[in-house]
Amino acid sequence: MPMSQESGAAPTPACAGRVGLGGTLELRVRREQYIADVSFPDPCVILVTRGHKTLSAGDQQLGAGPGELLFINAGVTAAMRNRPDADGVYAATCVAMAPDLVRAHAAARNALPGSPWRALSHAPAQSTLADVVRHAAAGMLGGPTVSDRLIRHRLEELLIALDDLGCWCRISTAATAAERVRGLLAGEPAANWTAAAVAQRLHMSEASLRRALRGEATGFRAVLDDVRMSTGLALIQGSAMSLQQIAGECGYASPSRFAARFRQRFGVTPSSLRR
Protein backbone atom coordinates (compact mmCIF):
# COMPACT_ATOMS: atom_id res chain seq x y z
CA MET A 1 0.00 0.00 0.00
CA PRO A 2 1.47 3.40 -0.93
CA MET A 3 2.35 5.69 1.95
CA SER A 4 2.45 9.46 2.06
CA GLN A 5 5.64 9.50 4.13
CA GLU A 6 8.31 7.32 5.63
CA SER A 7 7.68 5.91 9.10
CA GLY A 8 8.66 8.55 11.66
CA ALA A 9 9.22 11.25 9.05
CA ALA A 10 7.72 14.68 9.65
CA PRO A 11 4.99 15.57 7.14
CA THR A 12 4.92 18.85 5.26
CA PRO A 13 2.08 21.00 6.65
CA ALA A 14 -0.97 20.69 4.41
CA CYS A 15 -4.73 20.37 4.61
CA ALA A 16 -7.43 19.25 2.19
CA GLY A 17 -11.01 18.09 2.20
CA ARG A 18 -13.68 16.52 0.03
CA VAL A 19 -17.31 17.57 0.48
CA GLY A 20 -19.39 14.73 1.87
CA LEU A 21 -16.35 12.50 2.36
CA GLY A 22 -13.87 13.88 4.84
CA GLY A 23 -10.74 15.93 5.37
CA THR A 24 -7.10 15.63 6.32
CA LEU A 25 -4.44 17.73 8.02
CA GLU A 26 -0.70 17.12 7.98
CA LEU A 27 0.68 18.96 10.99
CA ARG A 28 4.31 19.87 11.70
CA VAL A 29 5.29 22.31 14.46
CA ARG A 30 8.52 23.24 16.23
CA ARG A 31 7.27 24.51 19.57
CA GLU A 32 4.86 23.22 22.17
CA GLN A 33 1.24 24.13 21.54
CA TYR A 34 -1.76 24.19 23.85
CA ILE A 35 -5.08 24.76 22.09
CA ALA A 36 -8.30 24.86 24.11
CA ASP A 37 -11.84 24.06 22.96
CA VAL A 38 -11.07 22.14 19.76
CA SER A 39 -14.27 20.60 18.37
CA PHE A 40 -14.45 17.31 16.49
CA PRO A 41 -17.89 17.25 14.83
CA ASP A 42 -16.85 14.22 12.75
CA PRO A 43 -15.04 11.02 13.76
CA CYS A 44 -11.28 11.57 13.46
CA VAL A 45 -8.11 9.48 13.62
CA ILE A 46 -4.76 11.07 14.48
CA LEU A 47 -1.47 9.28 13.77
CA VAL A 48 1.43 10.85 15.69
CA THR A 49 4.78 10.53 13.89
CA ARG A 50 6.97 12.88 15.97
CA GLY A 51 6.65 14.17 19.53
CA HIS A 52 3.62 13.60 21.76
CA LYS A 53 -0.06 14.63 21.68
CA THR A 54 -2.42 14.86 24.66
CA LEU A 55 -6.18 15.34 24.42
CA SER A 56 -8.25 16.31 27.47
CA ALA A 57 -12.05 16.34 27.65
CA GLY A 58 -13.63 16.75 31.06
CA ASP A 59 -11.94 14.26 33.39
CA GLN A 60 -10.65 12.15 30.49
CA GLN A 61 -7.11 12.45 29.16
CA LEU A 62 -5.55 10.45 26.33
CA GLY A 63 -2.02 10.61 24.96
CA ALA A 64 -0.07 9.26 22.01
CA GLY A 65 3.60 9.21 21.02
CA PRO A 66 5.37 8.33 17.77
CA GLY A 67 3.61 5.54 15.88
CA GLU A 68 0.54 5.67 18.15
CA LEU A 69 -2.97 6.64 17.14
CA LEU A 70 -5.85 8.48 18.77
CA PHE A 71 -9.44 7.92 17.72
CA ILE A 72 -11.78 10.79 18.58
CA ASN A 73 -15.47 10.11 18.18
CA ALA A 74 -17.96 12.58 16.72
CA GLY A 75 -19.17 15.34 19.02
CA VAL A 76 -16.11 15.55 21.26
CA THR A 77 -14.66 18.93 22.29
CA ALA A 78 -11.18 18.68 23.75
CA ALA A 79 -8.14 20.66 24.80
CA MET A 80 -5.08 19.67 22.80
CA ARG A 81 -1.39 19.76 23.68
CA ASN A 82 1.30 19.05 21.07
CA ARG A 83 4.83 18.55 22.42
CA PRO A 84 7.86 18.35 20.08
CA ASP A 85 10.42 15.57 20.44
CA ALA A 86 14.06 15.98 21.50
CA ASP A 87 14.88 17.30 18.02
CA GLY A 88 12.22 19.99 18.35
CA VAL A 89 9.55 18.56 16.01
CA TYR A 90 5.95 17.51 16.55
CA ALA A 91 4.24 15.94 13.54
CA ALA A 92 0.99 14.09 12.96
CA THR A 93 -1.46 13.03 10.26
CA CYS A 94 -5.15 13.63 10.97
CA VAL A 95 -8.05 12.19 8.96
CA ALA A 96 -11.74 13.00 9.59
CA MET A 97 -14.68 11.12 8.06
CA ALA A 98 -17.90 12.88 7.03
CA PRO A 99 -21.13 11.83 8.79
CA ASP A 100 -22.93 10.67 5.63
CA LEU A 101 -20.04 8.37 4.78
CA VAL A 102 -20.04 6.96 8.31
CA ARG A 103 -23.82 6.44 8.19
CA ALA A 104 -23.60 4.60 4.87
CA HIS A 105 -20.87 2.35 6.26
CA ALA A 106 -22.88 1.64 9.42
CA ALA A 107 -26.01 0.87 7.39
CA ALA A 108 -24.06 -1.65 5.32
CA ARG A 109 -22.98 -3.23 8.61
CA ASN A 110 -26.63 -3.14 9.72
CA ALA A 111 -25.82 -1.48 13.04
CA LEU A 112 -25.24 1.97 14.50
CA PRO A 113 -23.36 1.23 17.71
CA GLY A 114 -21.88 3.98 19.82
CA SER A 115 -18.66 3.87 21.76
CA PRO A 116 -16.86 6.45 23.87
CA TRP A 117 -13.88 8.22 22.38
CA ARG A 118 -10.77 6.19 23.00
CA ALA A 119 -7.08 5.86 22.20
CA LEU A 120 -5.64 3.07 20.12
CA SER A 121 -2.52 3.07 22.24
CA HIS A 122 0.79 1.59 21.20
CA ALA A 123 -0.36 0.81 17.66
CA PRO A 124 2.93 0.48 15.74
CA ALA A 125 3.65 2.85 12.87
CA GLN A 126 3.60 -0.03 10.40
CA SER A 127 0.26 -1.39 11.65
CA THR A 128 -2.63 -1.84 9.24
CA LEU A 129 -4.49 1.14 10.70
CA ALA A 130 -1.47 3.45 10.43
CA ASP A 131 -1.00 2.46 6.79
CA VAL A 132 -4.68 3.05 6.05
CA VAL A 133 -4.58 6.50 7.67
CA ARG A 134 -1.59 7.48 5.55
CA HIS A 135 -3.24 6.10 2.43
CA ALA A 136 -6.45 8.07 2.98
CA ALA A 137 -4.54 11.28 3.76
CA ALA A 138 -2.33 10.93 0.68
CA GLY A 139 -5.40 10.52 -1.49
CA MET A 140 -7.08 13.69 -0.24
CA LEU A 141 -3.84 15.63 -0.60
CA GLY A 142 -3.42 14.30 -4.14
CA GLY A 143 -5.68 16.95 -5.63
CA PRO A 144 -8.04 16.50 -8.58
CA THR A 145 -6.01 13.62 -10.00
CA VAL A 146 -7.50 11.44 -7.23
CA SER A 147 -11.24 10.95 -7.79
CA ASP A 148 -13.95 11.24 -5.15
CA ARG A 149 -14.75 7.59 -5.82
CA LEU A 150 -11.23 6.56 -4.89
CA ILE A 151 -11.22 8.82 -1.80
CA ARG A 152 -14.49 7.21 -0.70
CA HIS A 153 -12.93 3.76 -1.09
CA ARG A 154 -9.92 4.73 1.03
CA LEU A 155 -12.06 6.22 3.78
CA GLU A 156 -14.31 3.16 3.80
CA GLU A 157 -11.13 1.11 4.22
CA LEU A 158 -10.31 3.25 7.25
CA LEU A 159 -13.77 2.66 8.73
CA ILE A 160 -13.32 -1.10 8.26
CA ALA A 161 -9.92 -0.96 9.97
CA LEU A 162 -11.53 0.86 12.91
CA ASP A 163 -14.31 -1.76 13.02
CA ASP A 164 -11.73 -4.53 13.23
CA LEU A 165 -10.28 -2.86 16.32
CA GLY A 166 -13.70 -2.49 17.94
CA CYS A 167 -13.57 1.29 17.55
CA TRP A 168 -16.95 2.11 16.04
CA CYS A 169 -17.90 5.67 15.13
CA ARG A 170 -20.71 7.21 17.13
CA ILE A 171 -23.10 8.91 14.71
CA SER A 172 -26.80 9.81 14.62
CA THR A 173 -29.02 7.68 12.40
CA ALA A 174 -30.11 10.82 10.53
CA ALA A 175 -28.44 14.18 10.00
CA THR A 176 -29.15 16.63 12.81
CA ALA A 177 -30.08 20.23 12.09
CA ALA A 178 -26.65 21.38 13.28
CA GLU A 179 -24.95 18.87 10.99
CA ARG A 180 -26.96 20.05 7.99
CA VAL A 181 -26.17 23.68 8.78
CA ARG A 182 -22.49 22.89 9.31
CA GLY A 183 -22.28 21.04 6.00
CA LEU A 184 -23.69 24.06 4.17
CA LEU A 185 -21.55 26.66 5.95
CA ALA A 186 -18.32 24.66 5.64
CA GLY A 187 -18.49 24.94 1.84
CA GLU A 188 -18.34 28.75 2.05
CA PRO A 189 -17.32 29.85 5.56
CA ALA A 190 -16.58 33.39 4.37
CA ALA A 191 -20.05 33.99 2.91
CA ASN A 192 -22.35 36.51 4.61
CA TRP A 193 -24.63 33.80 6.01
CA THR A 194 -27.89 34.53 7.81
CA ALA A 195 -30.22 32.10 9.52
CA ALA A 196 -32.94 33.02 7.02
CA ALA A 197 -30.71 32.25 4.03
CA VAL A 198 -29.57 28.93 5.49
CA ALA A 199 -33.14 27.93 6.34
CA GLN A 200 -34.19 28.65 2.76
CA ARG A 201 -31.34 26.51 1.41
CA LEU A 202 -32.42 23.70 3.73
CA HIS A 203 -36.08 24.05 2.64
CA MET A 204 -37.44 25.05 6.03
CA SER A 205 -38.60 28.20 7.76
CA GLU A 206 -36.19 30.27 9.83
CA ALA A 207 -38.34 29.67 12.92
CA SER A 208 -38.22 25.90 12.36
CA LEU A 209 -34.45 25.99 11.93
CA ARG A 210 -33.88 28.00 15.08
CA ARG A 211 -36.24 25.73 17.02
CA ALA A 212 -34.44 22.61 15.78
CA LEU A 213 -31.04 24.04 16.74
CA ARG A 214 -32.30 25.00 20.20
CA GLY A 215 -33.47 21.43 20.62
CA GLU A 216 -29.88 20.34 19.98
CA ALA A 217 -28.55 22.83 22.58
CA THR A 218 -26.97 25.14 20.01
CA GLY A 219 -27.84 28.06 17.74
CA PHE A 220 -27.12 29.41 14.28
CA ARG A 221 -24.42 31.87 15.38
CA ALA A 222 -22.70 29.20 17.48
CA VAL A 223 -22.52 26.79 14.53
CA LEU A 224 -21.29 29.53 12.18
CA ASP A 225 -18.62 30.61 14.65
CA ASP A 226 -17.46 27.03 15.18
CA VAL A 227 -17.19 26.42 11.42
CA ARG A 228 -15.20 29.61 10.91
CA MET A 229 -12.86 29.05 13.85
CA SER A 230 -12.27 25.39 12.91
CA THR A 231 -11.52 26.47 9.33
CA GLY A 232 -9.10 29.09 10.63
CA LEU A 233 -7.30 26.59 12.87
CA ALA A 234 -6.87 24.11 9.99
CA LEU A 235 -5.55 26.80 7.63
CA ILE A 236 -3.15 28.22 10.21
CA GLN A 237 -1.68 24.80 10.91
CA GLY A 238 -1.91 23.30 7.43
CA SER A 239 -1.31 26.08 4.92
CA ALA A 240 1.15 28.82 4.03
CA MET A 241 -1.60 31.43 3.65
CA SER A 242 -1.07 34.77 5.38
CA LEU A 243 -3.13 35.56 8.46
CA GLN A 244 -4.91 38.25 6.45
CA GLN A 245 -5.88 35.69 3.81
CA ILE A 246 -7.03 33.22 6.47
CA ALA A 247 -9.14 35.88 8.17
CA GLY A 248 -10.81 36.56 4.83
CA GLU A 249 -11.42 32.86 4.25
CA CYS A 250 -13.18 32.75 7.62
CA GLY A 251 -15.45 35.72 6.91
CA TYR A 252 -13.47 38.41 8.77
CA ALA A 253 -12.60 41.63 6.95
CA SER A 254 -10.26 42.57 9.82
CA PRO A 255 -7.33 40.24 10.68
CA SER A 256 -7.18 41.79 14.15
CA ARG A 257 -10.82 40.93 14.87
CA PHE A 258 -10.23 37.41 13.61
CA ALA A 259 -7.14 37.08 15.83
CA ALA A 260 -9.05 38.37 18.85
CA ARG A 261 -11.90 35.89 18.36
CA PHE A 262 -9.42 33.08 17.67
CA ARG A 263 -7.59 33.77 20.93
CA GLN A 264 -10.87 33.98 22.84
CA ARG A 265 -11.91 30.59 21.45
CA PHE A 266 -8.65 28.62 21.54
CA GLY A 267 -6.66 30.44 24.21
CA VAL A 268 -3.78 31.13 21.84
CA THR A 269 -3.08 33.68 19.09
CA PRO A 270 -2.95 32.59 15.43
CA SER A 271 0.59 33.95 15.00
CA SER A 272 1.92 31.99 17.99
CA LEU A 273 0.91 28.70 16.34
CA ARG A 274 3.28 29.49 13.46
CA ARG A 275 6.40 30.40 15.40
Side-chain angles (χ1 to χ4, degrees), residues 2 72 87 143 172:
I72 305 102
D87 294 324
S172 59

Side-chain angles (χ1 to χ4, degrees), residues 5-12 26-33 46-54 63-70 81-94 125 134:
Q5 56 189 290
E6 296 292 330
S7 173
T12 301
E26 294 279 15
L27 181 60
R28 187 176 191 275
V29 299
R30 288 193 167 275
R31 62 180 298 170
E32 183 169 335
Q33 298 178 332
I46 301 175
L47 168 63
V48 178
T49 52
R50 300 280 298 271
H52 190 273
K53 175 182 286 291
T54 303
E68 296 179 341
L69 298 105
L70 290 170
R81 189 179 298 278
N82 300 323
R83 296 203 312 270
D85 59 17
D87 294 324
V89 176
Y90 168 83
T93 299
C94 314
R134 294 190 186 97

Side-chain angles (χ1 to χ4, degrees), residues 165-251:
L165 290 167
C167 208
W168 293 350
C169 298
R170 181 180 60 227
I171 199 76
S172 59
T173 55
T176 63
E179 181 188 318
R180 295 175 66 199
V181 172
R182 177 181 291 277
L184 185 58
L185 302 182
E188 298 180 81
N192 186 25
W193 292 107
T194 64
V198 169
Q200 184 177 32
R201 292 277 292 272
L202 296 179
H203 307 290
M204 58 196 307
S205 70
E206 180 181 351
S208 295
L209 174 63
R210 291 189 182 278
R211 186 164 52 250
L213 291 173
R214 280 198 304 271
E216 296 168 10
T218 188
F220 173 73
R221 296 304 304 182
V223 177
L224 177 59
D225 181 71
D226 188 57
V227 167
R228 287 177 167 174
M229 288 296 101
S230 296
T231 298
L233 180 61
L235 291 175
I236 286 166
Q237 296 195 300
S239 82
M241 295 172 64
S242 69
L243 293 182
Q244 182 172 1
Q245 289 174 309
I246 293 172
E249 288 291 322
C250 296

Side-chain angles (χ1 to χ4, degrees), residues 246-269:
I246 293 172
E249 288 291 322
C250 296
Y252 284 80
S254 165
S256 61
R257 291 188 66 182
F258 167 74
R261 177 64 189 111
F262 190 93
R263 182 173 185 175
Q264 182 184 36
R265 166 65 185 271
F266 296 117
V268 64
T269 63

Side-chain angles (χ1 to χ4, degrees), residues 122-193:
H122 306 297
Q126 295 300 327
S127 71
T128 298
L129 181 59
D131 287 349
V132 172
V133 169
R134 294 190 186 97
H135 199 209
M140 281 186 282
L141 292 170
T145 60
V146 184
S147 69
D148 280 359
R149 183 178 176 215
L150 185 55
I151 295 299
R152 178 182 293 276
H153 176 79
R154 295 189 184 188
L155 290 172
E156 287 174 346
E157 183 182 33
L158 176 54
L159 287 166
I160 292 170
L162 288 168
D163 285 351
D164 289 347
L165 290 167
C167 208
W168 293 350
C169 298
R170 181 180 60 227
I171 199 76
S172 59
T173 55
T176 63
E179 181 188 318
R180 295 175 66 199
V181 172
R182 177 181 291 277
L184 185 58
L185 302 182
E188 298 180 81
N192 186 25
W193 292 107

